[in-house]
Amino acid sequence: MKPPRVGVLALQGDTREHLAALREAGADACTVRRREELDAVDALVIPGGESTTMSHLLRELDLLEPLRARLADGMPAYGSCAGMILLAGEIVDAGVPGREALPLGGLDITVRRNAFGRQVDSFEDDIDFTGLDGTVHAVFIRAPWVERVGDGVEVLARAAGHPVAVRQGRVVATAFHPEVTGDRRVHQLFVDSLTSR
């Protein structure tokens, strides 16, 4: 069986790290910057970075509505940090009007941007993660948290009492950055979900 073709949204953020993690997890990974590249992938990873900048570039490159449409049609996706923010159905403190983070609606959740604080408040923690053996070393950088979880959304991990990893169908999001730690289990969980029935 052919490996799933997984795109990494390569507008800004941890693109290389996600490509490496996906390839190690057995995916055929590629970058996505244009509509035809989005149309050619089976699933998409939205990396960490700056959610307002990524939203602006999605609009400028005419990718915002095609991406929303693919997610509405059931395209699997994984988002880390800013990717979690963008995959949400609702964003609290989205930014200044005209330059705000724009929800893509892949998950029935409400997220708060920079919920754990500014860059100086970034931290690391070992957290329990449903479906994975042992703890996951989580790196939180100006991280969001989930404030509301809708029906059908499973909370996979918590930090400081707040959901920081969620799954709804084949859409997964983490408030932290597993791509920077060398632990490929979160990416493996996502890639495995693409080939399971």
Side-chain angles (χ1 to χ4, degrees):
M1 181 173 21
K2 273 179 33 176
R5 187 159 181 79
V6 182
V8 177
L9 189 64
L11 305 181
Q12 192 252 349
D14 297 341
T15 304
R16 281 178 302 157
E17 293 86 348
H18 278 291
L19 287 169
L22 288 165
R23 288 174 181 143
E24 287 179 39
D28 174 15
C30 62
T31 57
V32 170
R33 291 186 189 91
R34 293 186 286 282
R35 170 73 184 268
E36 59 270 19
E37 293 168 337
L38 176 63
D39 293 341
V41 298
D42 303 312
L44 186 71
V45 169
I46 303 175
E50 174 46 56
S51 58
T52 56
T53 299
M54 292 166 80
S55 295
H56 172 72
L57 292 170
L58 283 169
R59 262 194 308 234
E60 288 293 307
L61 298 169
D62 292 322
L63 279 173
L64 183 64
E65 293 310 322
L67 180 48
R68 282 178 171 157
R70 286 289 314 270
L71 289 166
D73 286 344
M75 178 182 66
Y78 166 56
S80 67
C81 198
M84 171 185 264
I85 294 166
L86 295 178
L87 283 172
E90 183 182 13
I91 303 168
V92 177
D93 191 22
V96 293
R99 292 288 297 184
E100 70 271 33
L102 301 171
L104 297 170
L107 290 162
D108 184 13
I109 60 172
T110 301
V111 298
R112 179 175 294 276
R113 289 176 65 238
N114 303 325
F116 286 103
R118 304 176 67 80
Q119 188 83 16
V120 69
D121 301 308
S122 299
F123 66 99
E124 300 180 22
D125 195 10
D126 293 320
I127 59 174
D128 293 321
F129 194 109
T130 300
L132 300 180
D133 292 332
T135 59
V136 170
H137 187 71
V139 177
F140 294 88
I141 303 169
R142 284 178 31 221
W145 66 43
V146 178
E147 296 208 337
R148 181 194 61 84
V149 176
D151 293 338
V153 178
E154 179 185 8
V155 175
L156 301 174
R158 293 178 183 272
H162 298 280
V164 293
V166 294
R167 173 173 53 203
Q168 184 175 12
R170 293 197 297 175
V171 179
V172 179
T174 60
F176 54 90
H177 294 265
E179 72 278 6
V180 302
T181 66
D183 183 343
R184 302 310 190 205
R185 291 178 295 160
V186 173
H187 289 82
Q188 192 70 61
L189 191 74
F190 177 62
V191 171
D192 288 349
S193 77
L194 304 178
T195 56
S196 62
R197 295 274 173 209

